[in-house]
């Protein structure tokens, strides 16, 4: 049962619970009209202390498509945060008005902190460079629908593996699935953090690290591209040096399997050339739409509505 629970990291849910949530997302995709009033009378608080297009709008539309209502902000300077209110007090207060909270914050651990003070479920919509569990649910729904399974896959993860919270979330979650194998493709400066590699080591999941995208392309079932996270860099000079390290082009796609799927949490900057969008293996805009359906399923599960 997920009713009343928080979602701070994907591993807060068992794989069985995740599959059940993805089953509900599938059912919503098949018959959205059946869920159009499921959350009538319920209120989502959508608290964005950091910019967002997909996560904020997909949470908001998810609640609206379930017949519920949305309150919130995307500019915290319009709230009492500007007067010095703590996030703990904000969580306690907002949970008196809302039935469920989705929060994005630039500081790692903020969603966890808010969940300790909130009187309603808290969903982490991205905390700094740490985790982004609803992006992971989006990725899992996309992979399960397009590949037909969440096991026995070789996944290449390419780009900013150091700061990419979507990547940390996805890899630590998939470490629990059978037969997974990872290829971590990054410049030396943006390698996967040790805490993620430790999760894989403990689970006995094979992986290797490389900076050679072209050489690894032919063995991949999925290529998960990511943006170099400018906002997490201390040095702008370092960002400028690394930002175009990898650019996926139509030429490079010729090295991949005909069935290899390209995912990206978006937004993209330069790391996927626009010419790749018309390749049938480019799945990142389908991924966007699945994100709304999986958030509809998550809201229903946490509110205990099925
Ligand atoms: N994937 C993702 O988190 O996108 P936004 O930053 O636009 O929400």
């Amino acid at each position: 049962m997920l009713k009343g629970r928080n979602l701070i990291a994907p591993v807060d849910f068992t794989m069985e619970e995740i599959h059940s949530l993805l089953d509900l997302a599938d059912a919503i995709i098949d018959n959205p009209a059946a869920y159009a009033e499921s959350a009538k009378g319920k209120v989502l608080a959508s608290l964005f202390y950091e910019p967002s297009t997909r996560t904020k709008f997909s949470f908001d539309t998810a609640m609206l498509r379930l017949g519920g209502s949305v309150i919130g902000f995307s500019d915290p300077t319009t709230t009492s945060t500007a007067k010095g209110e703590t996030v703990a007090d904000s969580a306690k207060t907002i949970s008196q008005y809302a039935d469920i909270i989705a929060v994005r914050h630039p500081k790692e651990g903020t969603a966890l902190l808010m969940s300790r003070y909130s009187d309603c479920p808290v969903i982490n919509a991205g905390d700094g460079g740490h985790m982004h569990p609803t992006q992971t649910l989006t990725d899992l729904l996309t992979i399960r629908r397009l590949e037909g399974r969440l096991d026995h896959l070789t996944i290449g993860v390419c780009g900013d593996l150091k700061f990419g919270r979507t990547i940390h979330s996805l890899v630590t979650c998939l470490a629990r699935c059978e037969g997974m194998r990872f290829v971590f493709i990054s410049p030396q400066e943006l390698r996967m953090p040790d805490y993620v590699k430790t999760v894989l080591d403990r689970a006995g999941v094979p992986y290797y690290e490389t900076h050679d995208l072209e050489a690894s392309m032919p063995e991949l079932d999925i290529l998960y591209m990511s943006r170099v996270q400018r906002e997490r860099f201390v040095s702008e000079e370092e960002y400028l040096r690394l930002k175009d390290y990898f650019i996926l082009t139509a030429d490079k796609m010729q090295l991949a399997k005909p069935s290899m799927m390209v995912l990206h949490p978006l937004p993209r900057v330069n790391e996927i050339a626009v010419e790749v969008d018309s390749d049938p293996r480019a799945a990142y805009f389908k991924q966007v739409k699945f994100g709304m359906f999986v958030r509809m399923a998550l809201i229903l599960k946490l509110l205990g509505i099925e």
Side-chain angles (χ1 to χ4, degrees):
M1 278 286 284
L2 297 181
K3 183 180 178 183
R5 303 246 301 263
N6 303 303
L7 177 61
I8 308 302
V11 293
D12 293 344
F13 294 175
T14 64
M15 282 312 297
E16 194 183 356
E17 288 167 337
I18 288 175
H19 276 291
S20 159
L21 195 152
L22 301 185
D23 291 344
L24 178 57
D26 283 337
I28 296 170
I29 291 169
D30 288 346
N31 188 6
Y35 297 87
E37 299 207 346
S38 297
K40 196 170 175 188
K42 300 292 183 187
V43 176
L44 165 75
S46 156
L47 315 180
F48 279 72
Y49 294 83
E50 201 184 51
S52 168
T53 300
R54 278 142 293 274
T55 312
K56 173 147 180 60
F57 290 120
S58 65
F59 260 119
D60 293 359
T61 48
M63 192 48 148
L64 295 174
R65 284 174 186 273
L66 291 169
S69 308
V70 180
I71 59 170
F73 57 81
S74 49
D75 178 2
T77 64
T78 63
T79 73
S80 285
T81 301
K83 301 178 208 163
E85 183 168 70
T86 63
V87 288
D89 282 357
S90 295
K92 188 77 184 169
T93 300
I94 293 163
S95 68
Q96 308 311 307
Y97 313 137
D99 300 289
I100 190 163
I101 291 175
V103 59
R104 169 170 290 189
H105 199 281
K107 264 198 183 157
E108 292 80 1
T110 301
L112 176 63
L113 178 72
M114 289 182 100
S115 72
R116 291 191 174 147
Y117 291 88
S118 170
D119 291 334
C120 69
V122 171
I123 302 167
N124 180 7
D127 63 330
H130 183 223
M131 290 280 154
H132 192 345
T134 62
Q135 181 64 49
T136 299
L137 295 176
T138 301
D139 301 340
L140 298 185
L141 181 64
T142 307
I143 296 169
R144 206 180 76 160
R145 285 184 72 87
L146 301 185
E147 292 281 351
R149 65 188 195 282
L150 288 179
D151 52 67
H152 298 93
L153 293 164
T154 296
I155 303 185
V157 188
C158 178
D160 184 349
L161 311 191
K162 179 179 179 184
F163 295 119
R165 61 190 173 199
T166 64
I167 288 167
H168 307 158
S169 274
L170 181 65
V171 172
T172 52
C173 184
L174 285 176
R176 297 175 293 174
C177 300
E178 210 177 305
M180 303 305 290
R181 189 172 161 263
F182 292 98
V183 183
F184 296 141
I185 309 155
S186 74
Q188 179 69 19
E189 296 86 341
L190 298 178
R191 286 171 61 188
M192 189 66 91
D194 285 342
Y195 84 89
V196 175
K197 290 190 280 188
T198 301
V199 170
L200 298 181
D201 291 336
R202 288 194 178 140
V205 176
Y207 64 89
Y208 71 85
E209 297 178 277
T210 177
H211 54 81
D212 193 341
L213 173 60
E214 284 91 331
S216 55
M217 288 280 275
E219 63 181 301
L220 304 180
D221 299 309
I222 295 169
L223 174 59
Y224 194 97
M225 293 296 293
S226 68
R227 170 179 70 91
V228 176
Q229 309 271 304
R230 180 179 205 156
E231 62 276 29
R232 317 258 177 248
F233 276 72
V234 176
S235 156
E236 178 74 0
E237 198 178 31
E238 177 88 332
Y239 166 73
L240 293 172
R241 191 170 62 75
L242 295 171
K243 73 182 176 69
D244 293 329
Y245 198 95
F246 297 110
I247 300 178
L248 184 64
T249 58
D251 277 352
K252 285 184 193 142
M253 286 296 288
Q254 288 186 22
L255 302 168
K257 291 180 187 172
S259 60
M260 187 197 76
M261 184 166 74
V262 183
L263 297 181
H264 191 311
L266 305 178
R268 80 171 139 192
V269 185
N270 283 330
E271 60 280 357
I272 301 181
V274 173
E275 65 191 13
V276 178
D277 296 0
S278 56
D279 189 309
R281 296 168 290 181
Y284 29 91
F285 287 111
K286 287 183 191 151
Q287 201 178 347
V288 167
K289 189 146 190 174
F290 290 143
M292 179 185 70
F293 290 115
V294 92
R295 288 179 177 103
M296 290 171 78
L298 178 64
I299 290 168
L300 291 181
K301 287 277 189 185
L302 298 188
L303 291 177
I305 304 165
E306 296 237 18

